[in-house]
Amino acid sequence: MAPTTLISASPSVFNHLQRRLVCWPAPAHDTATAEESPNLVLEHLRAIRDELREIREEQREQRGRLGSIERSISYLTREMAEMSPRLDRMHDRLDRIERRLDLVEA
């Protein structure tokens, strides 16, 4: 909507806006709103800070859990590495037993 249309269609709106521009400082109800504005911003900042705190707590918990998983994987890897030579020795022993009993065709 063009400004001229707004002014011609509603002179009371134009007069109201003109009075508000001329009045300095702003009326009392506007100062209350202006004072509430920083409080609103502070409330939002506090809410953001609280959410950030929760995220950090969750992150600490997840780090602890991840460390536990890493230790478990390390333990399992070590156990598997220790099993490999034992399995190789058992395989060699089984081969010798099969040859002694002539269970394997040479």
mmCIF file of all heavy atoms in Angstrom, residues 10-52:
data_model
loop_
_atom_site.group_PDB
_atom_site.id
_atom_site.type_symbol
_atom_site.label_atom_id
_atom_site.label_comp_id
_atom_site.label_asym_id
_atom_site.label_seq_id
_atom_site.Cartn_x
_atom_site.Cartn_y
_atom_site.Cartn_z
ATOM 1 N N SER A 10 -6.859 7.109 5.886
ATOM 2 C CA SER A 10 -7.015 7.148 7.328
ATOM 3 C C SER A 10 -6.233 8.323 7.915
ATOM 4 O O SER A 10 -5.102 8.167 8.349
ATOM 5 C CB SER A 10 -6.509 5.832 7.914
ATOM 6 O OG SER A 10 -6.597 5.873 9.297
ATOM 7 N N PRO A 11 -6.823 9.508 7.948
ATOM 8 C CA PRO A 11 -6.122 10.666 8.492
ATOM 9 C C PRO A 11 -5.850 10.520 9.986
ATOM 10 O O PRO A 11 -4.889 11.067 10.505
ATOM 11 C CB PRO A 11 -7.055 11.839 8.219
ATOM 12 C CG PRO A 11 -8.326 11.273 7.724
ATOM 13 C CD PRO A 11 -8.106 9.851 7.406
ATOM 14 N N SER A 12 -6.668 9.771 10.724
ATOM 15 C CA SER A 12 -6.433 9.612 12.157
ATOM 16 C C SER A 12 -5.136 8.840 12.413
ATOM 17 O O SER A 12 -4.411 9.136 13.356
ATOM 18 C CB SER A 12 -7.610 8.917 12.818
ATOM 19 O OG SER A 12 -7.754 7.610 12.309
ATOM 20 N N VAL A 13 -4.832 7.875 11.565
ATOM 21 C CA VAL A 13 -3.573 7.143 11.702
ATOM 22 C C VAL A 13 -2.409 8.088 11.458
ATOM 23 O O VAL A 13 -1.424 8.092 12.212
ATOM 24 C CB VAL A 13 -3.525 5.943 10.727
ATOM 25 C CG1 VAL A 13 -2.156 5.306 10.714
ATOM 26 C CG2 VAL A 13 -4.596 4.932 11.081
ATOM 27 N N PHE A 14 -2.517 8.895 10.437
ATOM 28 C CA PHE A 14 -1.465 9.854 10.135
ATOM 29 C C PHE A 14 -1.266 10.825 11.295
ATOM 30 O O PHE A 14 -0.140 11.097 11.711
ATOM 31 C CB PHE A 14 -1.793 10.615 8.841
ATOM 32 C CG PHE A 14 -0.804 11.686 8.522
ATOM 33 C CD1 PHE A 14 0.452 11.376 8.031
ATOM 34 C CD2 PHE A 14 -1.129 13.017 8.726
ATOM 35 C CE1 PHE A 14 1.361 12.373 7.745
ATOM 36 C CE2 PHE A 14 -0.220 14.009 8.448
ATOM 37 C CZ PHE A 14 1.027 13.691 7.956
ATOM 38 N N ASN A 15 -2.351 11.351 11.849
ATOM 39 C CA ASN A 15 -2.258 12.287 12.976
ATOM 40 C C ASN A 15 -1.617 11.630 14.188
ATOM 41 O O ASN A 15 -0.796 12.235 14.877
ATOM 42 C CB ASN A 15 -3.642 12.841 13.339
ATOM 43 C CG ASN A 15 -4.185 13.740 12.258
ATOM 44 O OD1 ASN A 15 -3.420 14.306 11.472
ATOM 45 N ND2 ASN A 15 -5.503 13.870 12.196
ATOM 46 N N HIS A 16 -1.992 10.409 14.441
ATOM 47 C CA HIS A 16 -1.427 9.680 15.583
ATOM 48 C C HIS A 16 0.083 9.505 15.408
ATOM 49 O O HIS A 16 0.857 9.747 16.333
ATOM 50 C CB HIS A 16 -2.110 8.318 15.739
ATOM 51 C CG HIS A 16 -1.519 7.468 16.817
ATOM 52 N ND1 HIS A 16 -1.685 7.769 18.150
ATOM 53 C CD2 HIS A 16 -0.756 6.355 16.753
ATOM 54 C CE1 HIS A 16 -1.043 6.861 18.876
ATOM 55 N NE2 HIS A 16 -0.479 5.993 18.040
ATOM 56 N N LEU A 17 0.483 9.097 14.220
ATOM 57 C CA LEU A 17 1.910 8.918 13.955
ATOM 58 C C LEU A 17 2.654 10.249 14.062
ATOM 59 O O LEU A 17 3.758 10.305 14.607
ATOM 60 C CB LEU A 17 2.131 8.304 12.568
ATOM 61 C CG LEU A 17 1.718 6.849 12.417
ATOM 62 C CD1 LEU A 17 1.840 6.425 10.960
ATOM 63 C CD2 LEU A 17 2.565 5.956 13.295
ATOM 64 N N GLN A 18 2.053 11.274 13.568
ATOM 65 C CA GLN A 18 2.693 12.589 13.625
ATOM 66 C C GLN A 18 2.860 13.029 15.080
ATOM 67 O O GLN A 18 3.913 13.527 15.464
ATOM 68 C CB GLN A 18 1.865 13.605 12.836
ATOM 69 C CG GLN A 18 2.547 14.926 12.667
ATOM 70 C CD GLN A 18 1.716 15.869 11.794
ATOM 71 O OE1 GLN A 18 0.512 15.659 11.635
ATOM 72 N NE2 GLN A 18 2.351 16.872 11.246
ATOM 73 N N ARG A 19 1.846 12.822 15.916
ATOM 74 C CA ARG A 19 1.940 13.190 17.332
ATOM 75 C C ARG A 19 3.033 12.388 18.031
ATOM 76 O O ARG A 19 3.776 12.910 18.844
ATOM 77 C CB ARG A 19 0.596 12.944 18.029
ATOM 78 C CG ARG A 19 -0.322 14.169 17.967
ATOM 79 C CD ARG A 19 -1.566 13.954 18.804
ATOM 80 N NE ARG A 19 -2.551 13.317 17.919
ATOM 81 C CZ ARG A 19 -3.239 12.220 18.196
ATOM 82 N NH1 ARG A 19 -3.130 11.645 19.351
ATOM 83 N NH2 ARG A 19 -4.076 11.719 17.325
ATOM 84 N N ARG A 20 3.147 11.135 17.687
ATOM 85 C CA ARG A 20 4.176 10.303 18.323
ATOM 86 C C ARG A 20 5.566 10.741 17.916
ATOM 87 O O ARG A 20 6.488 10.672 18.710
ATOM 88 C CB ARG A 20 3.956 8.835 17.989
ATOM 89 C CG ARG A 20 2.726 8.304 18.704
ATOM 90 C CD ARG A 20 2.580 6.819 18.689
ATOM 91 N NE ARG A 20 3.762 6.017 18.828
ATOM 92 C CZ ARG A 20 4.198 5.500 19.990
ATOM 93 N NH1 ARG A 20 3.557 5.760 21.089
ATOM 94 N NH2 ARG A 20 5.261 4.743 20.014
ATOM 95 N N LEU A 21 5.717 11.187 16.690
ATOM 96 C CA LEU A 21 7.017 11.657 16.248
ATOM 97 C C LEU A 21 7.382 12.987 16.888
ATOM 98 O O LEU A 21 8.541 13.248 17.193
ATOM 99 C CB LEU A 21 7.059 11.784 14.721
ATOM 100 C CG LEU A 21 7.037 10.461 13.953
ATOM 101 C CD1 LEU A 21 6.909 10.734 12.463
ATOM 102 C CD2 LEU A 21 8.280 9.655 14.232
ATOM 103 N N VAL A 22 6.412 13.814 17.116
ATOM 104 C CA VAL A 22 6.657 15.131 17.701
ATOM 105 C C VAL A 22 6.935 15.015 19.191
ATOM 106 O O VAL A 22 7.765 15.723 19.742
ATOM 107 C CB VAL A 22 5.462 16.080 17.428
ATOM 108 C CG1 VAL A 22 5.612 17.370 18.191
ATOM 109 C CG2 VAL A 22 5.339 16.336 15.938
ATOM 110 N N CYS A 23 6.235 14.083 19.889
ATOM 111 C CA CYS A 23 6.424 13.918 21.334
ATOM 112 C C CYS A 23 7.813 13.371 21.615
ATOM 113 O O CYS A 23 8.177 12.314 21.127
ATOM 114 C CB CYS A 23 5.388 12.937 21.896
ATOM 115 S SG CYS A 23 3.733 13.571 21.913
ATOM 116 N N TRP A 24 8.559 14.111 22.416
ATOM 117 C CA TRP A 24 9.862 13.608 22.831
ATOM 118 C C TRP A 24 10.090 14.063 24.233
ATOM 119 O O TRP A 24 9.958 15.246 24.496
ATOM 120 C CB TRP A 24 10.962 14.124 21.910
ATOM 121 C CG TRP A 24 12.227 13.386 22.131
ATOM 122 C CD1 TRP A 24 13.269 13.770 22.883
ATOM 123 C CD2 TRP A 24 12.584 12.123 21.588
ATOM 124 N NE1 TRP A 24 14.239 12.849 22.853
ATOM 125 C CE2 TRP A 24 13.850 11.798 22.050
ATOM 126 C CE3 TRP A 24 11.947 11.214 20.754
ATOM 127 C CZ2 TRP A 24 14.504 10.638 21.721
ATOM 128 C CZ3 TRP A 24 12.602 10.064 20.430
ATOM 129 C CH2 TRP A 24 13.871 9.785 20.911
ATOM 130 N N PRO A 25 10.322 13.275 25.183
ATOM 131 C CA PRO A 25 10.483 11.823 25.145
ATOM 132 C C PRO A 25 9.160 11.110 24.929
ATOM 133 O O PRO A 25 8.103 11.720 24.995
ATOM 134 C CB PRO A 25 11.056 11.494 26.517
ATOM 135 C CG PRO A 25 10.590 12.584 27.399
ATOM 136 C CD PRO A 25 10.478 13.808 26.523
ATOM 137 N N ALA A 26 9.246 9.822 24.755
ATOM 138 C CA ALA A 26 8.060 9.017 24.479
ATOM 139 C C ALA A 26 7.133 9.024 25.678
ATOM 140 O O ALA A 26 7.558 9.267 26.795
ATOM 141 C CB ALA A 26 8.488 7.589 24.155
ATOM 142 N N PRO A 27 5.848 8.758 25.459
ATOM 143 C CA PRO A 27 4.892 8.691 26.557
ATOM 144 C C PRO A 27 5.284 7.624 27.576
ATOM 145 O O PRO A 27 6.067 6.729 27.295
ATOM 146 C CB PRO A 27 3.572 8.327 25.871
ATOM 147 C CG PRO A 27 3.754 8.703 24.450
ATOM 148 C CD PRO A 27 5.210 8.614 24.163
ATOM 149 N N ALA A 28 4.710 7.698 28.776
ATOM 150 C CA ALA A 28 5.080 6.828 29.893
ATOM 151 C C ALA A 28 4.894 5.358 29.573
ATOM 152 O O ALA A 28 5.714 4.539 29.942
ATOM 153 C CB ALA A 28 4.282 7.213 31.133
ATOM 154 N N HIS A 29 3.827 4.977 28.880
ATOM 155 C CA HIS A 29 3.609 3.563 28.591
ATOM 156 C C HIS A 29 4.680 3.023 27.651
ATOM 157 O O HIS A 29 4.997 1.859 27.674
ATOM 158 C CB HIS A 29 2.195 3.317 28.043
ATOM 159 C CG HIS A 29 1.959 3.887 26.684
ATOM 160 N ND1 HIS A 29 1.667 5.221 26.488
ATOM 161 C CD2 HIS A 29 1.983 3.311 25.470
ATOM 162 C CE1 HIS A 29 1.514 5.441 25.185
ATOM 163 N NE2 HIS A 29 1.692 4.302 24.557
ATOM 164 N N ASP A 30 5.250 3.873 26.825
ATOM 165 C CA ASP A 30 6.326 3.432 25.943
ATOM 166 C C ASP A 30 7.622 3.234 26.718
ATOM 167 O O ASP A 30 8.418 2.365 26.392
ATOM 168 C CB ASP A 30 6.535 4.413 24.803
ATOM 169 C CG ASP A 30 5.408 4.345 23.780
ATOM 170 O OD1 ASP A 30 4.688 3.329 23.746
ATOM 171 O OD2 ASP A 30 5.270 5.311 23.028
ATOM 172 N N THR A 31 7.869 4.053 27.738
ATOM 173 C CA THR A 31 9.093 3.861 28.531
ATOM 174 C C THR A 31 9.013 2.568 29.307
ATOM 175 O O THR A 31 10.012 1.889 29.482
ATOM 176 C CB THR A 31 9.327 5.046 29.493
ATOM 177 O OG1 THR A 31 8.172 5.209 30.308
ATOM 178 C CG2 THR A 31 9.645 6.308 28.747
ATOM 179 N N ALA A 32 7.821 2.198 29.766
ATOM 180 C CA ALA A 32 7.674 0.917 30.446
ATOM 181 C C ALA A 32 8.006 -0.224 29.492
ATOM 182 O O ALA A 32 8.678 -1.180 29.858
ATOM 183 C CB ALA A 32 6.262 0.768 30.998
ATOM 184 N N THR A 33 7.541 -0.096 28.265
ATOM 185 C CA THR A 33 7.854 -1.108 27.264
ATOM 186 C C THR A 33 9.350 -1.114 26.980
ATOM 187 O O THR A 33 9.945 -2.165 26.837
ATOM 188 C CB THR A 33 7.071 -0.842 25.958
ATOM 189 O OG1 THR A 33 5.696 -0.733 26.273
ATOM 190 C CG2 THR A 33 7.289 -1.934 24.961
ATOM 191 N N ALA A 34 9.945 0.069 26.920
ATOM 192 C CA ALA A 34 11.381 0.159 26.668
ATOM 193 C C ALA A 34 12.165 -0.446 27.821
ATOM 194 O O ALA A 34 13.198 -1.069 27.614
ATOM 195 C CB ALA A 34 11.783 1.611 26.460
ATOM 196 N N GLU A 35 11.680 -0.286 29.049
ATOM 197 C CA GLU A 35 12.367 -0.891 30.190
ATOM 198 C C GLU A 35 12.179 -2.401 30.208
ATOM 199 O O GLU A 35 13.055 -3.140 30.639
ATOM 200 C CB GLU A 35 11.847 -0.284 31.491
ATOM 201 C CG GLU A 35 12.279 1.153 31.696
ATOM 202 C CD GLU A 35 11.609 1.784 32.910
ATOM 203 O OE1 GLU A 35 10.890 1.074 33.626
ATOM 204 O OE2 GLU A 35 11.820 2.985 33.114
ATOM 205 N N GLU A 36 11.040 -2.870 29.753
ATOM 206 C CA GLU A 36 10.788 -4.305 29.711
ATOM 207 C C GLU A 36 11.608 -4.974 28.627
ATOM 208 O O GLU A 36 11.944 -6.141 28.724
ATOM 209 C CB GLU A 36 9.307 -4.573 29.479
ATOM 210 C CG GLU A 36 8.425 -4.201 30.647
ATOM 211 C CD GLU A 36 6.953 -4.354 30.322
ATOM 212 O OE1 GLU A 36 6.626 -4.897 29.260
ATOM 213 O OE2 GLU A 36 6.142 -3.930 31.152
ATOM 214 N N SER A 37 11.950 -4.223 27.610
ATOM 215 C CA SER A 37 12.690 -4.779 26.495
ATOM 216 C C SER A 37 14.038 -5.363 26.928
ATOM 217 O O SER A 37 14.345 -6.498 26.587
ATOM 218 C CB SER A 37 12.874 -3.706 25.430
ATOM 219 O OG SER A 37 12.931 -4.274 24.178
ATOM 220 N N PRO A 38 14.872 -4.629 27.687
ATOM 221 C CA PRO A 38 16.116 -5.243 28.144
ATOM 222 C C PRO A 38 15.851 -6.457 29.044
ATOM 223 O O PRO A 38 16.590 -7.431 28.998
ATOM 224 C CB PRO A 38 16.811 -4.136 28.926
ATOM 225 C CG PRO A 38 16.235 -2.878 28.417
ATOM 226 C CD PRO A 38 14.833 -3.215 28.017
ATOM 227 N N ASN A 39 14.789 -6.388 29.862
ATOM 228 C CA ASN A 39 14.464 -7.535 30.697
ATOM 229 C C ASN A 39 14.115 -8.746 29.845
ATOM 230 O O ASN A 39 14.476 -9.866 30.174
ATOM 231 C CB ASN A 39 13.303 -7.210 31.637
ATOM 232 C CG ASN A 39 13.708 -6.212 32.706
ATOM 233 O OD1 ASN A 39 14.888 -6.072 33.009
ATOM 234 N ND2 ASN A 39 12.733 -5.530 33.253
ATOM 235 N N LEU A 40 13.400 -8.507 28.766
ATOM 236 C CA LEU A 40 13.043 -9.589 27.857
ATOM 237 C C LEU A 40 14.301 -10.178 27.232
ATOM 238 O O LEU A 40 14.457 -11.396 27.142
ATOM 239 C CB LEU A 40 12.089 -9.072 26.773
ATOM 240 C CG LEU A 40 11.564 -10.097 25.786
ATOM 241 C CD1 LEU A 40 10.749 -11.157 26.518
ATOM 242 C CD2 LEU A 40 10.706 -9.409 24.746
ATOM 243 N N VAL A 41 15.219 -9.302 26.839
ATOM 244 C CA VAL A 41 16.480 -9.766 26.265
ATOM 245 C C VAL A 41 17.249 -10.565 27.308
ATOM 246 O O VAL A 41 17.799 -11.636 27.016
ATOM 247 C CB VAL A 41 17.316 -8.574 25.749
ATOM 248 C CG1 VAL A 41 18.707 -9.023 25.353
ATOM 249 C CG2 VAL A 41 16.618 -7.907 24.571
ATOM 250 N N LEU A 42 17.284 -10.071 28.549
ATOM 251 C CA LEU A 42 17.976 -10.795 29.611
ATOM 252 C C LEU A 42 17.339 -12.159 29.858
ATOM 253 O O LEU A 42 18.045 -13.146 30.092
ATOM 254 C CB LEU A 42 17.977 -9.972 30.901
ATOM 255 C CG LEU A 42 18.907 -8.764 30.907
ATOM 256 C CD1 LEU A 42 18.714 -7.960 32.194
ATOM 257 C CD2 LEU A 42 20.353 -9.192 30.760
ATOM 258 N N GLU A 43 16.025 -12.211 29.812
ATOM 259 C CA GLU A 43 15.346 -13.495 29.994
ATOM 260 C C GLU A 43 15.748 -14.478 28.903
ATOM 261 O O GLU A 43 16.009 -15.651 29.175
ATOM 262 C CB GLU A 43 13.832 -13.296 29.983
ATOM 263 C CG GLU A 43 13.290 -12.645 31.239
ATOM 264 C CD GLU A 43 11.788 -12.430 31.162
ATOM 265 O OE1 GLU A 43 11.102 -13.244 30.505
ATOM 266 O OE2 GLU A 43 11.312 -11.460 31.763
ATOM 267 N N HIS A 44 15.795 -13.990 27.679
ATOM 268 C CA HIS A 44 16.203 -14.858 26.570
ATOM 269 C C HIS A 44 17.647 -15.304 26.754
ATOM 270 O O HIS A 44 17.973 -16.472 26.525
ATOM 271 C CB HIS A 44 16.032 -14.149 25.222
ATOM 272 C CG HIS A 44 14.615 -14.098 24.757
ATOM 273 N ND1 HIS A 44 13.918 -15.196 24.347
ATOM 274 C CD2 HIS A 44 13.746 -13.056 24.660
ATOM 275 C CE1 HIS A 44 12.696 -14.864 23.998
ATOM 276 N NE2 HIS A 44 12.558 -13.555 24.186
ATOM 277 N N LEU A 45 18.513 -14.392 27.159
ATOM 278 C CA LEU A 45 19.911 -14.753 27.373
ATOM 279 C C LEU A 45 20.048 -15.785 28.495
ATOM 280 O O LEU A 45 20.843 -16.717 28.386
ATOM 281 C CB LEU A 45 20.738 -13.512 27.698
ATOM 282 C CG LEU A 45 20.965 -12.555 26.532
ATOM 283 C CD1 LEU A 45 21.680 -11.299 27.013
ATOM 284 C CD2 LEU A 45 21.759 -13.221 25.429
ATOM 285 N N ARG A 46 19.273 -15.630 29.555
ATOM 286 C CA ARG A 46 19.306 -16.611 30.652
ATOM 287 C C ARG A 46 18.824 -17.977 30.169
ATOM 288 O O ARG A 46 19.398 -19.013 30.523
ATOM 289 C CB ARG A 46 18.454 -16.125 31.811
ATOM 290 C CG ARG A 46 19.110 -15.021 32.590
ATOM 291 C CD ARG A 46 18.300 -14.618 33.811
ATOM 292 N NE ARG A 46 18.901 -13.451 34.437
ATOM 293 C CZ ARG A 46 18.310 -12.280 34.602
ATOM 294 N NH1 ARG A 46 17.066 -12.105 34.196
ATOM 295 N NH2 ARG A 46 18.942 -11.277 35.162
ATOM 296 N N ALA A 47 17.773 -17.971 29.356
ATOM 297 C CA ALA A 47 17.264 -19.235 28.818
ATOM 298 C C ALA A 47 18.313 -19.899 27.925
ATOM 299 O O ALA A 47 18.525 -21.118 28.010
ATOM 300 C CB ALA A 47 15.974 -18.997 28.038
ATOM 301 N N ILE A 48 18.979 -19.092 27.126
ATOM 302 C CA ILE A 48 20.038 -19.635 26.263
ATOM 303 C C ILE A 48 21.165 -20.190 27.112
ATOM 304 O O ILE A 48 21.698 -21.270 26.845
ATOM 305 C CB ILE A 48 20.545 -18.539 25.291
ATOM 306 C CG1 ILE A 48 19.467 -18.211 24.260
ATOM 307 C CG2 ILE A 48 21.834 -18.982 24.603
ATOM 308 C CD1 ILE A 48 19.770 -16.985 23.421
ATOM 309 N N ARG A 49 21.524 -19.475 28.173
ATOM 310 C CA ARG A 49 22.596 -19.931 29.067
ATOM 311 C C ARG A 49 22.208 -21.253 29.727
ATOM 312 O O ARG A 49 23.027 -22.168 29.834
ATOM 313 C CB ARG A 49 22.878 -18.878 30.130
ATOM 314 C CG ARG A 49 24.108 -19.197 30.952
ATOM 315 C CD ARG A 49 24.369 -18.201 32.043
ATOM 316 N NE ARG A 49 24.220 -16.825 31.613
ATOM 317 C CZ ARG A 49 23.889 -15.836 32.426
ATOM 318 N NH1 ARG A 49 23.684 -16.054 33.710
ATOM 319 N NH2 ARG A 49 23.776 -14.606 31.978
ATOM 320 N N ASP A 50 20.960 -21.373 30.156
ATOM 321 C CA ASP A 50 20.496 -22.615 30.774
ATOM 322 C C ASP A 50 20.556 -23.780 29.789
ATOM 323 O O ASP A 50 20.998 -24.878 30.135
ATOM 324 C CB ASP A 50 19.076 -22.456 31.310
ATOM 325 C CG ASP A 50 19.009 -21.543 32.528
ATOM 326 O OD1 ASP A 50 20.067 -21.327 33.180
ATOM 327 O OD2 ASP A 50 17.901 -21.039 32.826
ATOM 328 N N GLU A 51 20.105 -23.526 28.567
ATOM 329 C CA GLU A 51 20.160 -24.572 27.551
ATOM 330 C C GLU A 51 21.596 -24.963 27.251
ATOM 331 O O GLU A 51 21.902 -26.144 27.080
ATOM 332 C CB GLU A 51 19.455 -24.106 26.277
ATOM 333 C CG GLU A 51 17.956 -24.034 26.412
ATOM 334 C CD GLU A 51 17.277 -23.569 25.141
ATOM 335 O OE1 GLU A 51 17.838 -23.749 24.041
ATOM 336 O OE2 GLU A 51 16.160 -23.028 25.244
ATOM 337 N N LEU A 52 22.484 -23.986 27.210
ATOM 338 C CA LEU A 52 23.894 -24.257 26.963
ATOM 339 C C LEU A 52 24.487 -25.097 28.096
ATOM 340 O O LEU A 52 25.260 -26.025 27.851
ATOM 341 C CB LEU A 52 24.651 -22.928 26.831
ATOM 342 C CG LEU A 52 25.991 -22.937 26.141
ATOM 343 C CD1 LEU A 52 25.846 -23.456 24.720
ATOM 344 C CD2 LEU A 52 26.566 -21.542 26.125
#
